[in-house]
Amino acid sequence: MKNSSIFTKAVHAGLDRSENHGALSVPIYNASVFAFADADEAAAIHNEVVPGFYYGRIGNPTTAALEAAIAELENADAGLAFASGMAAISAAILTTVKVGENIVAPRSGYSTTQHFLKFIETEFGIQTIFVDATDAGAYADAATDRTKMFLIETPSNPLLNVTDLREVAEIAKKRGIVTLADNTFATPFNQRPAEFGIDIVVHSGTKYLGGHSDLTAGLLAGRTDLIEKARQKGAKLFGGNIAPQVAWLVLRGIKTLALRMERHNSNAYVIANMLASDERVYKVYYPGMPSYANYEIAKGQMAPGFGGMVSFDLGTIERGRAFVNSVRLCALATSLGGVESIVQHSASMTHATLSPEEREAAGISDGLIRFSVGIEDIEDLKADILQALDNV
Ligand SMILES: *Cc1c(COP(=O)(O)O)cnc(C)c1O
């Protein structure tokens, strides 16, 4: 399995046919408690001298299958599942970085991660230095002798900024800094950060891995010592474990990940190029266009494609609102990564409470539309976008 194609891996990831009577679908273990044969076994499992399950917050066989699956897909040593992407991110950060140490992170990225970083600074004194992550050298320049973690999000939400994974990993290794990369947008189909030397990969499984807009989940994959610490301190002490029923849904989603991503990639590529040649559109954010900043870096670390996310700027709040009010096939919603196409207008939704100046500082222009391009027929999608642009 280790050397097979991602198309093959996605279908088989996490399944051990020598278990569970050969069931081709991992059974859902609706169990929070696991009994021991005797006191010796109880002691050995509790103290992790031998592998085994004992309590649902720390592990469950269905969840373990999902954890094995994400490790296989990401080409990483170990995996860990959570109830949401934020549970995974917060556990990874709080089990790696201590009070008095700091983090270097992108100035522009997923808004809740940004809020989390600001929260742990004001409440716990764990400082984050925000940098322009499109320049790998900015991480080196910002790092101090107290820096414990480099956070990366590439391509980033919602601006599709690209960070050089290999370069940042190298800078970190020289200084003993842990790297954490959010791979939600690319998915392991297009990009596997561990192969570039990243220590921990994080996913919102809510998005492409689940893929059907029907669950929330989070995943970590990476170095065994860091993942085990996240399990022993993050999952065990903070909670936030995924339910086995949800773990099963993510496993089912992963079986078609490669097929779905292939279509997300090709649909987004067509949509981005169509938007780029439309004079009603001010700017297109898509890492797969030669004119885009860091296109060469994206090409070097993403393959076979650039993912299903495209953002574009329509100039003003009014035009952004008119666009999202005019789409018919695409849904107006806040998530991404599902089979269905979703549009979002950041200035009137996620960033509505900010002043225009604050939005500008965050790189969110008033007319910015984030488009999660689904797997529908490309002609139907093009027609919907064009008719909506007619109303802008
Ligand atoms: C959605 C998202 C998250 C958060 O994941 P949840 O499952 O909503 O907690 C983190 N990072 C990125 C890039 C996301 O898009």
Side-chain angles (χ1 to χ4, degrees), residues 335-350:
S335 194
L336 60 103
V339 288
E340 59 289 292
S341 288
I342 291 177
V343 294
Q344 167 182 309
H345 177 219
S346 303
S348 66
M349 295 166 69
T350 45

Side-chain angles (χ1 to χ4, degrees), residues 88-305:
I89 290 171
S90 56
I93 292 174
L94 292 178
T95 59
T96 304
V97 187
K98 289 200 284 284
V99 173
E101 296 175 333
N102 67 44
I103 301 167
V104 180
R107 190 167 292 135
S108 176
Y110 179 62
S111 60
T112 311
T113 301
Q114 306 266 323
H115 289 148
F116 174 77
L117 293 172
K118 286 169 191 160
F119 177 77
I120 60 173
E121 175 158 346
T122 57
E123 309 293 315
F124 299 103
I126 298 174
Q127 194 205 353
T128 294
I129 304 158
F130 291 98
V131 297
D132 173 5
T134 60
D135 171 15
Y139 282 88
D141 295 344
T144 70
D145 55 7
R146 290 180 172 274
T147 301
K148 188 61 192 282
M149 177 180 273
F150 283 168
L151 186 72
I152 303 168
E153 195 180 306
T154 183
S156 72
N157 186 349
L159 295 179
L160 288 306
N161 286 335
V162 171
T163 302
D164 191 326
L165 290 165
R166 191 192 309 275
E167 190 76 30
V168 176
E170 262 169 32
I171 297 166
K173 283 216 161 57
K174 278 189 208 128
R175 302 171 186 229
I177 294 168
V178 173
T179 43
L180 173 65
D182 189 327
N183 202 31
T184 300
F185 270 33
T187 82
F189 181 74
N190 289 318
Q191 175 175 279
R192 289 169 298 280
E195 293 174 355
F196 299 97
I198 296 296
D199 297 314
I200 316 175
V201 179
V202 61
H203 278 281
S204 169
T206 312
K207 317 292 170 49
Y208 290 104
L209 295 174
H212 296 75
S213 306
D214 56 4
L215 59 87
T216 67
L219 293 155
L220 297 178
R223 250 169 61 185
T224 305
D225 59 324
L226 296 168
I227 297 297
E228 271 317 298
K229 190 160 183 208
R231 184 191 300 280
Q232 291 306 329
K233 304 297 177 202
K236 192 170 180 177
L237 304 189
F238 310 151
N241 55 291
I242 194 170
Q245 298 84 356
V246 180
W248 183 86
L249 277 174
V250 180
L251 276 167
R252 187 165 72 171
I254 285 174
K255 286 179 193 290
T256 57
L257 176 72
L259 272 183
R260 288 184 285 108
M261 290 315 298
E262 201 174 37
R263 178 69 86 100
H264 284 297
N265 280 350
S266 64
N267 277 358
Y269 184 86
V270 172
I271 294 291
N273 282 287
M274 180 185 88
L275 291 168
S277 64
D278 194 308
E279 58 197 19
R280 294 168 294 187
V281 177
Y282 289 36
K283 181 171 179 185
V284 178
Y285 300 79
Y286 175 68
M289 277 185 317
S291 59
Y292 196 62
N294 282 357
Y295 167 71
E296 289 300 330
I297 294 168
K299 217 170 68 169
Q301 65 192 25
M302 299 182 80

